Amino acid sequence: MLSDKHTLRSAGQHGSPFARLLLREWQRVARQPLYWFAMVLAPLFCCLYFTTLMQQGLPESLPAGVVDEDGTSTSRNLVRNLDAFQMVSLERSYANVGEARRAMQRGEIYGFYLIPRGTASEAQRQRVPTLSFYTNYSYLVAGSLLYRDMRTMSELASGAAARSVLYARGATERQAMAYLQPVVIDMHPVGNPWLNYNVYLSNILIPGVLGLFVFMMTVYGLGTELKHRTAGAMMRRAGGSMGRALTAKLLVQGAVFVLTGTLIVLWLYGWLRFPCYGGLWRMACVMLLFIVACQGFGVLLFTLMPTLRLSLSGASLWGVISFSISGMSFPVMAMHPVLQGLAWLFPLRHYYMLYVNTALDGYPLLNAAPYLMALLAFTLLPALCLPRLRHIMLHTAYVP
């Protein structure tokens, strides 16, 4: 043990300036648990959390209610068919709309299905009965899935009633189906044919969380130099070269982040078998470029706001906004033109486009060259910040 310490000390004293800087940065990272928590433990925990939370792909057996005012065999058949849907679990039957509404407000159910009195008789007389359903869109996923199944059940009930009338008039099954469904829709979802929410969300949420930590730790690594008054010692060890000092700092942090990102890629596309038609190595390259781009943008944030508190707040804000403006939840092309332009300033947006191009479509990276060049431009930002950053490290006092 003593000989190992002596070897490290000798390497730090007699090695090249850049080697001494690398050793210094590695010791700073190794001695502070916060670095390991933010660079390894937290991203991997989020990866496991999100992928296991949505392990089934879609939520099943969402609690719902029914108000059957008709009480006929037809209405009971509707209820049985609705309960047979995978997403719906009819927990309770309510006497009236008021009781069902109060149960939905208490959070006991996500929606309820209303079959009014006289539905069966009015359907037989072709008087167009009305079936109503109510869903709670305060819960977007649950409300959307219940809405889809309840609407499907209503359309099936309407078609069944019309088909019975056509049969009674002597129409054959082929004639009845041609009247009820003149155009048959054959749907083929591209990229995620299973409509799996785990595939849809985890592929962007997890890299987005990783990018958020890269922003924050890049800013933290620079800000603590001012806070602990070690910036001068760092610059002396770097021989006055800000580029050398910054490269060593980003290289050590980046190596750990790249290891974490590679584990995430292997977990998503190797173990869980998420669609990846471009190959693991290509997605690993995209992840590497994304991490380095986030580091470059983190350096820019600290250069613009050389106060640890403000720059950390800015990094957190930028990382959180990335989820909304990346195009994952709402298409960028449908946003305001100003927001479409601002989307280019978020590395996660370009990662998302490269992921779609590479993993889902299987195209070469050059097929999405604008987004590839945008990430490369982020990696060059530290070179533009070096003069200002050198001045900050040498002459700026820490402001709490």
Side-chain angles (χ1 to χ4, degrees), residues 263-284:
L263 292 176
I264 290 174
V265 169
L266 292 175
W267 175 258
L268 293 178
Y269 308 110
W271 181 259
L272 296 181
R273 300 290 182 181
F274 283 2
C276 186
Y277 301 113
L280 285 174
W281 68 269
R282 198 177 296 175
M283 279 308 301

Side-chain angles (χ1 to χ4, degrees), residues 279-311:
L280 285 174
W281 68 269
R282 198 177 296 175
M283 279 308 301
C285 291
V286 173
M287 179 65 76
L288 167 64
L289 187 58
F290 171 67
I291 291 171
V292 178
C294 290
Q295 284 187 305
F297 194 81
V299 172
L300 176 64
L301 285 175
F302 182 77
T303 305
L304 295 176
M305 298 178 290
T307 303
L308 182 58
R309 173 173 51 84
L310 291 178
S311 53

Side-chain angles (χ1 to χ4, degrees), residues 43 103 162 171 182 190 205 223 239 246 258 260 274 303 323 333 343 345 366 377 388:
V190 177
L205 287 178
L246 183 61
V258 168
T260 303
F274 283 2
T303 305
F323 294 104
M333 65 183 68
L345 302 179
L366 291 179
R388 169 67 177 162

Side-chain angles (χ1 to χ4, degrees), residues 101-380:
R101 177 178 57 81
R102 286 189 290 272
M104 190 166 65
Q105 290 174 338
R106 289 192 300 267
E108 298 174 0
I109 56 176
Y110 291 113
F112 63 91
Y113 198 76
L114 171 62
I115 305 175
R117 189 180 307 276
T119 297
S121 60
E122 289 184 3
Q124 293 173 356
R125 299 172 185 174
Q126 295 183 304
R127 292 184 177 178
V128 192
T130 301
L131 296 175
S132 303
F133 48 91
Y134 302 82
T135 56
N136 189 351
Y137 260 89
S138 300
Y139 307 94
L140 180 61
V141 174
S144 301
L145 294 176
L146 279 182
Y147 172 81
R148 184 190 67 181
D149 286 353
M150 288 182 176
R151 179 171 180 174
T152 300
M153 190 66 248
S154 301
E155 292 173 350
L156 291 176
S158 175
R163 185 181 62 178
S164 300
V165 173
L166 292 173
Y167 285 168
R169 293 180 177 180
T172 64
E173 182 177 358
R174 184 179 181 87
Q175 291 172 335
M177 293 307 299
Y179 176 80
L180 295 174
Q181 194 177 18
V183 178
V184 178
I185 300 174
D186 189 13
M187 183 176 65
H188 297 276
V190 177
N192 186 8
W194 314 275
L195 300 180
N196 189 322
Y197 271 68
N198 201 1
V199 173
Y200 170 63
L201 294 175
S202 295
N203 278 293
I204 300 302
L205 287 178
I206 296 171
V209 170
L210 181 63
L212 173 62
F213 282 116
V214 175
F215 285 156
M216 297 181 67
M217 297 316 297
T218 302
V219 168
Y220 179 81
L222 293 170
T224 50
E225 297 285 359
L226 293 180
K227 180 179 180 180
H228 299 148
R229 295 181 175 87
T230 57
M234 178 187 68
M235 295 301 296
R236 286 192 298 271
R237 186 169 295 194
S241 173
M242 188 67 240
R244 189 181 299 164
L246 183 61
T247 301
K249 186 175 290 291
L250 295 182
L251 193 59
V252 171
Q253 292 189 18
V256 181
F257 274 122
V258 168
L259 175 61
T260 303
T262 303
L263 292 176
I264 290 174
V265 169
L266 292 175
W267 175 258
L268 293 178
Y269 308 110
W271 181 259
L272 296 181
R273 300 290 182 181
F274 283 2
C276 186
Y277 301 113
L280 285 174
W281 68 269
R282 198 177 296 175
M283 279 308 301
C285 291
V286 173
M287 179 65 76
L288 167 64
L289 187 58
F290 171 67
I291 291 171
V292 178
C294 290
Q295 284 187 305
F297 194 81
V299 172
L300 176 64
L301 285 175
F302 182 77
T303 305
L304 295 176
M305 298 178 290
T307 303
L308 182 58
R309 173 173 51 84
L310 291 178
S311 53
L312 278 176
S313 300
S316 303
L317 177 63
W318 209 261
V320 171
I321 295 177
S322 299
F323 294 104
S324 300
I325 207 168
S326 66
M328 173 194 68
S329 57
F330 189 83
V332 173
M333 65 183 68
M335 295 181 183
H336 191 276
V338 174
L339 295 179
Q340 294 183 31
L342 288 176
W344 285 87
L345 302 179
F346 292 82
L348 186 62
R349 165 63 179 167
H350 310 298
Y351 174 87
Y352 173 64
M353 297 304 296
L354 290 173
Y355 152 73
V356 172
N357 178 83
T358 301
L360 297 185
D361 297 335
Y363 297 144
L365 287 175
L366 291 179
N367 191 67
Y371 306 103
L372 186 65
M373 298 304 296
L375 286 184
L376 289 174
F378 279 111
T379 65
L380 299 178

